[in-house]
Amino acid sequence: MDSKCKIRFQNEYTVTVERCGKKKEYHFGNVVLSNMLNVSFNFTGVRLGSGTGTPASSDTDVFTKLWDITCTKTVSLDEEKQAAIHTLVGEVPPDTDHVGTITELGVLVSSTVVTHALIKDAESNPITIKKDDLTRVIVTARITMTLSASSPWIAVPVRHTQLYMKKAKDDEGQETERGWGDLGSLFLELCTNSNAAIGDGEMTSTYSYIGTSYGSYYCTNSCYGYGKAQSSNSYADSKRTAKFDFRAPATLLDYPVYFNTILIGGVCYAELPNSELVPNYTITGYPVGTGDGTTKDFLCPFSYFVKDTDSITVGGNTLTRGVDYTVINDNNHEMLQELTPFARAKASGGNREKNRSGVGLFTRPLYKWPSNYPTDFGNTNGWYSNYKDSEFVSRIYKGNPVIFDLGDSYELNKFRLPASFTAATFTLSVSTDGETYTEVFSEAKAANTVLEKDFDATGRYWKLETTADTSTVDFSADPAAVPFLGKVQDGYIHFKEAPASGAAITMNVAMDRPFKTGETVIDYSATLEITV
């Protein structure tokens, strides 16, 4: 599997020369240097020079260095163009320490020059600025970056990448800018929902380097949900190439996991099914159960497979679908049971500002959040700073109901809280317009007791209230151990004749995406090439 990404730069400069009340401005562009792929995108200043020549992408510095000037930086986002815009402003003061002839400049990341340009006039002719002790030179550099990916890959939204990073409040409420990383550490991930790849938040932490809206994993060993899996990452011939070897080992996992998104390098992703990336394959002889001579209904071991590809074997004999057996709730095989409507929901209320790790209350998370420890694994959720648009809620509070906006009307039928969750009375209400709510149920949960409520209701807006502040969710790889609100459709296999006592029942199905259980291993390799 190969992927190509390109980071495009459109750089504009304004050099303003002020002397004795007079002002001149020059506007021009520049050349992006290849070593841009060897640094972070934390642009810090501008280097001025006095040399001449033709700037080229292979340059490593200006021709003749004069001075480095530190700039103030602002970062903005153009959602329509999917562009991150860095604006640097700095000046050379009118003093005797800065006297010389200025002809060129380049943007700095620390002490490394990553762009190079000759100063030009309106006709694109190189010019010379005579800088004396009465002259002030103000430099404004505007760097616009966009990200593109080769089909069938899709570029990760810019707000999730390190092209754009927003200042965020820390746990003490102080606004701080997170450290910028580089392209030296990349990762490949198999995700159980699309939201893991594209999210709703903004990048504020860069442990994953050019990553998405969640934080670091530091997984030296791949796991069945996530893994850095980077086997090599090198820069040569004006491009950076990273190779990945993802291995999801057999682990204790008593329920199936289906992956529907591949995220590579943190810069592009692809949604499944996609036959180019994951051709259809067959799972054969998967155990369903053992006959007892009387039971005709058996739970289908798959909540998803390619429709109409199943076959059943009982005691070594292959049965005919529709004649010897029927799969009940057939529409269950057209969707992933793991993907509730909350995969793309938005929420208000609850605790998001203090818990940025994005733990997912009522989103059926499948993995434990790593907390930056090397032996832990990532979950299907994220690290969000855009709290008002985050669908992930770690706690809910008395008097501050959580409202989920599913974006459209959905039927839900199951609410479940594990025994470890806070004892309180929980009230669920539903609305079609977000204004008028109808109560679905109000149930009390006793301490150390599971609360499970089956219901049938349909709506776009779902409000959950509690009579006591809840604790933060304690996650587990067991879906029964985490809160759940959504729709459950169990698929059953109904036999015309009960399988004989002791007869082994197995199932064959076709899959169009990676499928993981405690008995299966996933190996996945990829190559990512990044150019500017």
Side-chain angles (χ1 to χ4, degrees):
M1 180 181 68
D2 295 318
S3 175
K4 294 184 178 179
C5 286
K6 179 172 287 187
I7 302 173
R8 291 187 170 90
F9 295 82
Q10 178 183 347
N11 302 323
E12 305 167 274
Y13 298 88
T14 298
V15 174
T16 303
V17 182
E18 298 177 350
R19 189 179 190 279
C20 300
K22 295 182 179 181
K23 179 188 299 184
K24 286 186 178 181
E25 286 189 351
Y26 304 96
H27 304 275
F28 52 95
N30 77 325
V31 172
V32 177
L33 305 188
S34 297
N35 63 13
M36 180 71 82
L37 296 179
N38 270 332
V39 298
S40 71
F41 302 114
N42 186 23
F43 307 111
T44 55
V46 171
R47 176 166 294 172
L48 300 177
S50 59
T52 58
T54 302
S57 60
S58 58
D59 292 346
T60 58
D61 204 342
V62 296
F63 297 125
T64 305
K65 176 183 174 181
L66 280 175
W67 315 292
D68 290 347
I69 58 175
T70 301
C71 298
T72 59
K73 180 179 70 173
T74 58
V75 184
S76 58
L77 180 66
D78 187 327
E79 286 277 12
E80 182 178 352
K81 295 180 180 179
Q82 278 299 293
I85 304 167
H86 295 239
T87 303
L88 305 175
V89 180
E91 69 171 52
V92 185
D95 58 28
T96 56
D97 292 333
H98 299 88
V99 174
T101 301
I102 305 172
T103 60
E104 56 177 334
L105 57 76
V107 170
L108 290 169
V109 174
S110 187
S111 60
T112 302
V113 177
V114 294
T115 69
H116 191 192
L118 297 180
I119 300 174
K120 298 181 177 181
D121 60 19
E123 286 73 40
S124 297
N125 298 313
I127 64 169
T128 297
I129 297 175
K130 301 292 185 180
K131 172 68 176 69
D132 58 23
D133 60 352
L134 299 178
T135 303
R136 181 190 307 274
V137 177
I138 303 171
V139 178
T140 301
R142 179 183 169 94
I143 305 163
T144 302
M145 296 185 289
T146 57
L147 180 65
S148 62
S150 59
S151 180
W153 299 94
I154 304 168
V156 169
V158 167
R159 71 178 181 273
H160 298 320
T161 71
Q162 213 158 300
L163 307 184
Y164 169 77
M165 283 182 61
K166 183 180 179 181
K167 287 185 176 181
K169 291 183 178 180
D170 59 21
D171 292 338
E172 286 72 42
Q174 299 298 313
E175 192 173 76
T176 180
E177 185 174 81
R178 309 287 171 158
W180 294 73
D182 55 36
L183 299 176
S185 181
L186 301 172
F187 52 89
L188 181 147
E189 298 177 11
L190 300 184
C191 310
T192 58
N193 65 47
S194 303
N195 196 73
I198 62 177
D200 282 321
E202 293 175 332
M203 186 70 174
T204 62
S205 185
T206 63
Y207 305 110
S208 293
Y209 301 96
I210 188 163
T212 58
S213 56
Y214 35 81
S216 59
Y217 298 102
Y218 291 142
C219 292
T220 56
N221 298 313
S222 301
C223 63
Y224 52 81
Y226 289 121
K228 189 162 68 174
Q230 178 179 286
S231 59
S232 66
N233 185 340
S234 59
Y235 169 78
D237 301 326
S238 301
K239 62 185 177 183
R240 179 170 287 280
T241 303
K243 296 184 178 180
F244 305 89
D245 183 12
F246 181 99
R247 181 177 176 82
T251 57
L252 294 175
L253 188 66
D254 59 0
Y255 63 97
V257 174
Y258 307 85
F259 299 99
N260 84 324
T261 305
I262 304 172
L263 179 67
I264 182 170
V267 296
C268 61
Y269 69 98
E271 295 188 339
L272 303 176
N274 186 301
S275 59
E276 182 179 346
L277 301 177
V278 181
N280 281 15
Y281 63 97
T282 302
I283 297 176
T284 59
Y286 199 86
V288 174
T290 302
D292 59 9
T294 58
T295 301
K296 294 184 177 181
D297 292 333
F298 289 78
L299 181 66
C300 179
F302 303 99
S303 62
Y304 174 86
F305 53 81
V306 178
K307 190 172 176 63
D308 297 332
T309 64
D310 58 290
S311 66
I312 299 289
T313 299
V314 176
N317 299 314
T318 301
L319 306 186
T320 301
R321 187 183 188 196
V323 177
D324 300 316
Y325 74 93
T326 305
V327 178
I328 309 300
N329 263 348
D330 205 37
N331 61 348
N332 191 50
H333 303 143
E334 297 176 351
M335 62 179 290
L336 302 189
Q337 188 169 314
E338 279 74 20
L339 297 183
T340 71
F342 293 92
R344 296 181 185 275
K346 294 183 178 181
S348 60
N351 177 32
R352 294 180 304 282
E353 296 197 12
K354 289 186 178 179
N355 194 328
R356 289 189 299 274
S357 57
V359 291
L361 186 59
F362 313 121
T363 59
R364 197 172 183 177
L366 300 177
Y367 313 109
K368 182 181 177 183
W369 182 252
S371 301
N372 298 345
Y373 290 104
T375 57
D376 287 335
F377 304 144
N379 61 17
T380 57
N381 305 323
W383 183 291
Y384 289 92
S385 66
N386 192 353
Y387 307 118
K388 292 182 180 179
D389 288 339
S390 172
E391 69 274 34
F392 299 122
V393 179
S394 61
R395 297 180 66 186
I396 55 178
Y397 300 101
K398 178 181 178 180
N400 183 19
V402 173
I403 299 176
F404 295 98
D405 177 2
L406 305 189
D408 204 346
S409 183
Y410 288 91
E411 177 188 354
L412 303 184
N413 65 7
K414 174 74 75 173
F415 176 78
R416 188 181 190 281
L417 295 177
S420 60
F421 203 65
T422 304
T425 296
F426 295 89
T427 302
L428 182 69
S429 304
V430 66
S431 171
T432 58
D433 58 9
E435 299 292 335
T436 303
Y437 283 85
T438 300
E439 182 176 306
V440 177
F441 65 79
S442 184
E443 292 285 333
K445 181 191 176 303
N448 302 315
T449 303
V450 173
L451 172 61
E452 187 166 319
K453 180 69 177 178
D454 293 319
F455 62 91
D456 288 298
T458 301
R460 170 176 172 173
Y461 301 91
W462 298 79
K463 179 169 65 174
L464 183 63
E465 300 172 89
T466 177
T467 56
D469 294 350
T470 71
S471 58
T472 301
V473 180
D474 183 17
F475 284 96
S476 169
D478 178 3
V482 295
F484 178 76
L485 170 62
K487 184 173 183 178
V488 173
Q489 294 177 277
D490 290 327
Y492 282 85
I493 301 169
H494 175 74
F495 292 92
K496 182 179 179 180
E497 302 292 338
S501 179
I505 306 169
T506 62
M507 190 172 189
N508 303 332
V509 295
M511 286 289 180
D512 55 12
R513 66 198 69 212
F515 165 71
K516 186 75 184 70
T517 70
E519 291 77 39
T520 59
V521 174
I522 295 177
D523 284 303
Y524 209 82
S525 298
T527 300
L528 172 66
E529 180 181 295
I530 302 177
T531 58
V532 296

